[in-house]
Amino acid sequence: MEFTAKQIADMIGGRVEGDEQAKINTFAKIEEGKKGAISFLSNPKYTPYIYETQSSVVLINEDVELTQPVSCTLIRVKNAYESVAKLLQLYASMMPKKTGIDPLAFVSKSAQIGENVYIAPFAYIGDGVKIGDGSRIYPHVTIYDGCQIGKNVTIHAGSVIGADGFGFAPNQEGYEKIPQIGIVIIEDDVEIGANTCVDRSTMGQTVIHKGVKLDNLIQVAHNCEIGENTVMSAQVGLAGSTKIGSWCMVGGQAGFSGHIHVADKTFIGAQSGVISNTKGNGEQLIGSPAIDPKLFFKAAAVTKRLPDMYKELAALRKEIEELKKTK
Amino acid sequence: MEFTAKQIADMIGGRVEGDEQAKINTFAKIEEGKKGAISFLSNPKYTPYIYETQSSVVLINEDVELTQPVSCTLIRVKNAYESVAKLLQLYASMMPKKTGIDPLAFVSKSAQIGENVYIAPFAYIGDGVKIGDGSRIYPHVTIYDGCQIGKNVTIHAGSVIGADGFGFAPNQEGYEKIPQIGIVIIEDDVEIGANTCVDRSTMGQTVIHKGVKLDNLIQVAHNCEIGENTVMSAQVGLAGSTKIGSWCMVGGQAGFSGHIHVADKTFIGAQSGVISNTKGNGEQLIGSPAIDPKLFFKAAAVTKRLPDMYKELAALRKEIEELKKTK
Amino acid sequence: MEFTAKQIADMIGGRVEGDEQAKINTFAKIEEGKKGAISFLSNPKYTPYIYETQSSVVLINEDVELTQPVSCTLIRVKNAYESVAKLLQLYASMMPKKTGIDPLAFVSKSAQIGENVYIAPFAYIGDGVKIGDGSRIYPHVTIYDGCQIGKNVTIHAGSVIGADGFGFAPNQEGYEKIPQIGIVIIEDDVEIGANTCVDRSTMGQTVIHKGVKLDNLIQVAHNCEIGENTVMSAQVGLAGSTKIGSWCMVGGQAGFSGHIHVADKTFIGAQSGVISNTKGNGEQLIGSPAIDPKLFFKAAAVTKRLPDMYKELAALRKEIEELKKTK
């Protein structure tokens, strides 16, 4: 498939600067541009590449001012990142998509599978599981008995939905298992990355609400609840019974104690440790224990000077003792 | 199945307060209670729910004093958490349990499988592997050649037992692999969560002792040893040759350097970094590098004031210089 | 198979001290030595074991001075660790090796598989995937469509190569998926541990260069690049578009922000958080945010005294105020 810059601009409501007939047939990152490719410039760190890219066409925000001439054709748009996303969606929608239940998948006879579902080879769908229309289950996904998956849910390879929550009661000789008789509910439009784990609840449900996006290698413990449209980067961990609000953003490797509530629209930095309820909407937190980011980075800067501060403190003590003697 | 409050109380040695004939047929969390359900109250944070729960019956500790009347029937017990565990175990023991080797599992001809073992579809059991009686191996578990699994061991979906330890020797051109010819031994009554990795040793054994409970996404490197009845939360990582004592508790995302010894009954907080041998029984550690928890939380509180302390230190210096001039 | 100390010494260019005819037929760790076993001593922490080991033969560095007599036969070598690696390689090369495509693997008809490749049961090889000669793909590995694997690559159980990068654009109602149309390229001689994830790029390639060694449970996000012969311990996480140089060493659980460059030969400590470009070759970093290790450990030592410093600062303030009054 080949398109002209004009055709692309019309698709996404952009304005061409340069050769309207420039032809493109593929995508490329701006720093790896080549003839026939369309690239985009969104992150200002990559601006220098626009002057040297080999790509034929570059999507760029309307308000970016260029300081030198460029050899590529530009398509000016309101938001280059959104426009490239739209183009990639158009491109992906033209690609053939796998569908149906692969004969190498295991699907329990008592599972209820919706329409237009893809279940890959070696996926395991347990007894009583429900999977809504349009969902995609990749290889080596395990969905334990009784868990419910909504519509248009994507679960990438190796993720495990509904393994037992981690519940044991100590006695004299060791630990007794607390049976985990609850389930996992994953609502519509959720995407779950590879090798992520969402444990079933002790009783009741572990719930991943509508539109949540979880990256790879994340741990969601029993009885947790993640609010609508919250996104979490890779390797985040939630201890049991914690509730995360909607529209939160959580950086990679962050951890949450059990039984806490995180408010809607909270932003949690990478590697943070959140150990208590958060205050309210729009709060930002980073560090372990997590605090305000401005304070965190100021304190981190001072931390480097701690050894000097320690010496200075001792020096001041000495000088004050001298002063006291001589006053 | 339906039971009366009286019948339940008799099963677990409790005392009914309220309607002895109250009927229950399911479990529910206290905050999600409904008619016909039994709930429990153990964590004091959830006490307010007892006054509004819709559950018909609630298990509660003998010594909890209620300040208002409740509409549910209470069963007073010594330890509500242990009692609900016992009830859940009774409930689970009445449920049908999968057993046998699923025809979709791969089990090497040279593997030795005990009695009453469940091996799920897509589990992989390598050459020479031994699995003891009553063990349960969930989908997508890989047990590499030669590893030994005890009795009544549970391994959840996607966990990998016996992949090569991470051993490479550098040379001029790159790294040479150090073959890992040891095995993994998992003793009786161990439970391993989903997507956890226990590497085989370079030589000798990586050993998970009796009664250990490992959560999801944990890394146990080659030649490690974890003592009896130690429990580790999700995403913990152990570097090579480290030995953890018995009856330890390790919080999520904690990490351990290689070649260290952690004493019995050590409590390690979430996200800690343990980089040297620990002192002795009952020690508590948190932080990275890990220190005493009281000190850790005091220091964390002061850390927030570090920028102010830095300014104050400079101010004091200035004032002392003034005083010196004028003395 | 049985060898004499003399035969072993000849294989690895070592010198026998003790009984040249001492027979060995297995390997053992020095602290678990037994008759007929060969052990090695490399880490000085293990030196005391040489005086009590039951092993018949021990490999030891030429320059180690022993302070007491030993009952085992020694083989003196330049580098005991390299020598044992060499012996283990000889041993491993004599063991039978699985090869070929197991009938229980799924290999797309459009995949191109090289010579002497092993593909285990339940491995999934997608459309258009290429796998070079001599590579080994263990059970439950998923290689998504279009990804390219070089020669002599090993991928351990459960790892996922080429799942979608984590790319979503927010809109009013939720997040729209940004299709990930790029691939993953894994070059020759790479080893990847168990349950590790390498995501495909949005466009272009995520690249793991020649000789890289990745441990278990690692996250490599879309559009990342890892330079030749870099090694990463378990549970490390890289955010999107980050480039790591060659010959770097990264400790377990370390994390990297997106869009940063780490120079060649950088050493990153365990649990570090690297949030900006690094300076140059040979740099060492630890902590979160990562700083110079000497400074990190000094600051960590002072951190323990922070509560005392805070009190001392208040005391000095008070004393200065007194001095000011009385001057």
Side-chain angles (χ1 to χ4, degrees):
Chain A
M1 285 172 298
E2 196 169 66
F3 298 93
T4 63
K6 179 73 170 64
Q7 286 173 318
I8 297 288
D10 290 348
M11 284 181 207
I12 56 177
R15 180 170 52 79
V16 178
E17 275 180 27
D19 178 9
E20 290 201 336
Q21 297 308 313
K23 288 185 174 57
I24 65 129
N25 53 42
T26 189
F27 291 88
K29 288 186 280 184
I30 193 165
E31 70 273 29
E32 296 173 355
K34 54 185 173 185
K35 197 165 180 297
I38 184 165
S39 296
F40 75 106
L41 175 61
S42 173
N43 185 333
K45 276 177 84 168
Y46 290 80
T47 304
Y49 289 109
I50 193 137
Y51 304 111
E52 51 187 59
T53 187
Q54 300 298 310
S55 285
S56 301
V57 177
V58 176
L59 293 168
I60 186 170
N61 287 356
E62 275 166 5
D63 57 0
V64 176
E65 288 182 32
L66 299 181
T67 57
Q68 301 169 38
V70 297
S71 61
C72 56
T73 293
L74 302 178
I75 300 180
R76 291 286 188 170
V77 290
K78 207 169 161 185
N79 184 322
Y81 189 63
E82 280 179 17
S83 294
V84 78
K86 199 172 166 188
L87 276 185
L88 284 165
Q89 284 160 2
L90 285 168
Y91 177 84
S93 71
M94 290 184 285
M95 296 287 107
K97 236 180 169 176
K98 286 168 191 164
T99 184
I101 299 176
D102 192 279
L104 290 179
F106 171 88
V107 178
S108 162
K109 281 175 189 167
S110 61
Q112 296 173 45
I113 311 297
E115 312 238 314
N116 296 314
V117 164
Y118 171 60
I119 301 183
F122 309 135
Y124 174 93
I125 313 296
D127 297 344
V129 168
K130 290 181 196 170
I131 299 182
D133 299 347
S135 288
R136 303 183 68 71
I137 311 296
Y138 282 93
H140 304 120
V141 167
T142 301
I143 304 181
Y144 277 67
D145 295 354
C147 295
Q148 297 173 20
I149 313 295
K151 293 178 188 170
N152 300 313
V153 168
T154 298
I155 306 179
H156 279 285
S159 283
V160 178
I161 310 302
D164 283 353
F166 195 63
F168 299 92
N171 61 25
Q172 293 293 76
E173 300 100 48
Y175 285 86
E176 280 187 87
K177 183 175 179 66
I178 300 175
Q180 305 287 306
I181 65 168
I183 60 167
V184 175
I185 295 178
I186 294 179
E187 295 185 351
D188 300 346
D189 304 323
V190 168
E191 181 152 343
I192 292 178
N195 284 348
T196 278
C197 299
V198 182
D199 279 354
R200 71 195 309 112
S201 65
T202 313
M203 49 187 84
Q205 299 95 33
T206 304
V207 188
I208 311 293
H209 285 289
K210 191 172 185 310
V212 165
K213 313 296 177 191
L214 301 182
D215 200 353
N216 304 335
L217 293 163
I218 287 174
Q219 157 71 357
V220 180
H222 53 140
N223 299 88
C224 284
E225 197 172 333
I226 302 180
E228 288 191 12
N229 297 314
T230 279
V231 297
M232 294 191 178
S233 296
Q235 297 175 318
V236 164
L238 277 70
S241 300
T242 276
K243 296 200 193 315
I244 309 286
S246 62
W247 287 100
C248 294
M249 298 185 75
V250 182
Q253 299 184 332
F256 295 81
S257 295
H259 296 275
I260 62 172
H261 287 231
V262 171
D264 295 348
K265 294 186 186 167
T266 306
F267 297 77
I268 311 283
Q271 296 188 324
S272 295
V274 182
I275 60 173
S276 52
N277 293 352
T278 69
K279 284 175 198 158
N281 289 357
E283 194 181 12
Q284 298 188 27
L285 291 165
I286 195 167
S288 179
I291 56 175
D292 177 79
K294 270 181 214 144
L295 185 50
F296 173 82
F297 286 108
K298 265 190 204 165
V302 178
T303 296
K304 293 190 213 174
R305 296 167 181 158
L306 263 181
D308 290 337
M309 285 172 70
Y310 188 73
K311 281 180 206 157
E312 172 73 347
L313 205 53
L316 292 185
R317 160 63 60 203
K318 207 172 156 189
E319 289 175 42
I320 286 174
E321 297 305 328
E322 288 297 321
L323 282 167
K324 277 158 129 183
K325 275 183 215 158
T326 60
K327 80 178 167 177
Chain B
M1 284 172 297
E2 197 169 66
F3 298 93
T4 64
K6 179 73 169 62
Q7 286 172 317
I8 297 289
D10 289 348
M11 283 182 209
I12 56 177
R15 181 171 51 80
V16 177
E17 276 180 26
D19 178 9
E20 291 202 336
Q21 297 308 312
K23 288 186 174 55
I24 66 127
N25 53 41
T26 188
F27 291 88
K29 289 185 279 185
I30 192 165
E31 70 273 30
E32 296 173 354
K34 54 186 174 183
K35 196 163 182 297
I38 184 166
S39 297
F40 75 105
L41 175 61
S42 172
N43 185 333
K45 277 177 81 167
Y46 290 81
T47 303
Y49 289 109
I50 193 134
Y51 304 111
E52 51 186 59
T53 186
Q54 300 298 310
S55 285
S56 301
V57 177
V58 176
L59 293 168
I60 186 169
N61 286 356
E62 275 166 5
D63 57 1
V64 175
E65 288 183 32
L66 300 180
T67 56
Q68 302 168 37
V70 297
S71 62
C72 56
T73 294
L74 302 178
I75 300 180
R76 292 285 189 171
V77 290
K78 205 169 163 188
N79 183 321
Y81 190 63
E82 279 178 19
S83 293
V84 78
K86 199 172 166 188
L87 276 185
L88 284 165
Q89 284 160 2
L90 285 168
Y91 176 85
S93 71
M94 290 185 285
M95 297 287 106
K97 235 181 171 176
K98 286 167 190 163
T99 184
I101 300 176
D102 192 278
L104 290 179
F106 171 88
V107 179
S108 162
K109 280 175 191 167
S110 62
Q112 297 174 44
I113 311 298
E115 312 238 312
N116 296 314
V117 165
Y118 170 60
I119 301 183
F122 309 135
Y124 174 94
I125 314 296
D127 297 343
V129 168
K130 289 180 195 171
I131 299 182
D133 299 347
S135 288
R136 304 183 66 72
I137 311 296
Y138 282 93
H140 305 119
V141 167
T142 301
I143 304 180
Y144 277 66
D145 294 354
C147 294
Q148 297 174 20
I149 313 296
K151 294 178 187 169
N152 300 313
V153 168
T154 298
I155 306 179
H156 280 284
S159 283
V160 178
I161 310 301
D164 283 351
F166 194 63
F168 299 92
N171 61 25
Q172 293 294 76
E173 300 100 49
Y175 285 86
E176 280 187 86
K177 182 174 178 69
I178 299 175
Q180 304 288 307
I181 65 169
I183 62 167
V184 174
I185 295 177
I186 293 179
E187 295 185 351
D188 300 347
D189 304 322
V190 168
E191 181 152 343
I192 293 178
N195 285 347
T196 278
C197 299
V198 182
D199 279 355
R200 70 197 308 112
S201 65
T202 313
M203 51 187 85
Q205 299 96 34
T206 304
V207 187
I208 311 294
H209 284 290
K210 191 173 186 308
V212 165
K213 313 296 178 191
L214 301 183
D215 199 353
N216 303 336
L217 292 162
I218 288 174
Q219 157 70 359
V220 180
H222 53 142
N223 298 88
C224 284
E225 198 172 333
I226 302 180
E228 287 191 11
N229 298 314
T230 279
V231 296
M232 294 191 177
S233 296
Q235 297 175 318
V236 165
L238 277 69
S241 300
T242 276
K243 296 200 193 315
I244 309 288
S246 62
W247 286 101
C248 294
M249 298 186 75
V250 182
Q253 299 183 332
F256 295 81
S257 296
H259 296 275
I260 63 172
H261 287 231
V262 171
D264 295 348
K265 294 187 185 165
T266 305
F267 297 77
I268 311 282
Q271 296 188 325
S272 295
V274 182
I275 60 174
S276 52
N277 292 353
T278 69
K279 284 175 198 161
N281 289 357
E283 194 182 12
Q284 298 188 26
L285 291 165
I286 195 166
S288 179
I291 57 176
D292 177 80
K294 270 182 212 141
L295 186 49
F296 174 82
F297 286 107
K298 265 190 203 164
V302 177
T303 296
K304 294 192 213 174
R305 296 169 181 157
L306 263 181
D308 291 338
M309 285 172 70
Y310 188 73
K311 280 181 206 155
E312 172 73 347
L313 204 53
L316 291 186
R317 160 60 62 198
K318 207 172 155 190
E319 289 176 42
I320 286 173
E321 297 306 327
E322 287 299 321
L323 282 169
K324 278 158 130 183
K325 274 184 218 157
T326 60
K327 80 180 165 176
Chain C
M1 285 173 299
E2 196 169 67
F3 299 91
T4 64
K6 180 73 170 62
Q7 285 172 319
I8 298 289
D10 289 348
M11 284 181 207
I12 55 177
R15 182 171 50 80
V16 177
E17 277 181 26
D19 178 8
E20 290 202 334
Q21 298 307 313
K23 289 186 174 56
I24 66 127
N25 53 42
T26 189
F27 291 88
K29 289 186 278 185
I30 193 165
E31 70 272 31
E32 296 174 354
K34 53 186 173 184
K35 198 165 180 298
I38 182 166
S39 297
F40 75 105
L41 175 61
S42 173
N43 185 333
K45 277 176 84 168
Y46 291 80
T47 304
Y49 289 109
I50 194 137
Y51 304 112
E52 52 186 60
T53 187
Q54 300 298 309
S55 286
S56 301
V57 177
V58 177
L59 293 168
I60 186 170
N61 287 355
E62 275 165 5
D63 57 0
V64 176
E65 288 183 31
L66 300 180
T67 56
Q68 301 168 39
V70 297
S71 61
C72 56
T73 294
L74 303 177
I75 300 181
R76 292 285 188 169
V77 290
K78 207 170 161 186
N79 184 322
Y81 190 63
E82 281 179 18
S83 294
V84 79
K86 198 172 167 188
L87 276 185
L88 284 165
Q89 284 159 2
L90 285 168
Y91 177 84
S93 70
M94 290 184 284
M95 297 288 106
K97 235 180 171 176
K98 286 168 190 165
T99 183
I101 299 176
D102 192 280
L104 289 180
F106 171 88
V107 179
S108 162
K109 280 176 190 167
S110 62
Q112 296 174 44
I113 311 298
E115 312 238 314
N116 296 315
V117 164
Y118 171 59
I119 300 183
F122 309 135
Y124 173 93
I125 314 295
D127 297 344
V129 168
K130 288 181 195 170
I131 299 183
D133 299 347
S135 288
R136 303 183 69 71
I137 311 297
Y138 281 93
H140 305 120
V141 167
T142 301
I143 305 181
Y144 277 67
D145 295 353
C147 295
Q148 296 174 21
I149 313 295
K151 293 178 188 169
N152 300 313
V153 168
T154 297
I155 305 180
H156 279 286
S159 283
V160 178
I161 310 301
D164 284 352
F166 195 64
F168 299 92
N171 61 25
Q172 293 293 76
E173 299 101 50
Y175 286 86
E176 280 188 86
K177 183 174 178 66
I178 300 174
Q180 305 288 306
I181 65 168
I183 61 167
V184 174
I185 295 178
I186 294 179
E187 295 185 351
D188 299 346
D189 304 324
V190 167
E191 181 151 344
I192 293 178
N195 285 346
T196 278
C197 298
V198 183
D199 279 356
R200 68 195 311 111
S201 64
T202 313
M203 49 187 85
Q205 300 95 35
T206 304
V207 187
I208 310 293
H209 284 290
K210 191 173 186 308
V212 165
K213 312 297 178 191
L214 301 182
D215 201 353
N216 303 336
L217 293 163
I218 287 174
Q219 156 70 358
V220 180
H222 53 141
N223 298 87
C224 285
E225 196 171 334
I226 302 180
E228 288 191 11
N229 297 315
T230 280
V231 297
M232 293 191 178
S233 295
Q235 297 176 319
V236 165
L238 278 69
S241 299
T242 277
K243 295 198 194 316
I244 309 288
S246 61
W247 287 102
C248 294
M249 298 185 76
V250 182
Q253 299 184 332
F256 295 82
S257 296
H259 295 275
I260 62 171
H261 287 231
V262 171
D264 295 348
K265 295 185 187 166
T266 305
F267 297 76
I268 311 282
Q271 296 188 325
S272 295
V274 183
I275 60 173
S276 52
N277 293 352
T278 68
K279 283 176 199 160
N281 289 357
E283 195 182 12
Q284 299 189 26
L285 291 165
I286 195 166
S288 178
I291 56 175
D292 177 80
K294 270 181 213 144
L295 185 49
F296 173 82
F297 286 107
K298 265 190 203 164
V302 178
T303 296
K304 293 190 213 175
R305 295 167 181 159
L306 263 181
D308 291 337
M309 285 171 71
Y310 188 73
K311 280 181 206 155
E312 172 73 346
L313 205 53
L316 291 186
R317 159 64 60 201
K318 208 171 156 189
E319 289 177 41
I320 286 174
E321 297 306 328
E322 288 297 321
L323 282 168
K324 277 159 130 182
K325 274 184 217 157
T326 60
K327 79 179 166 177

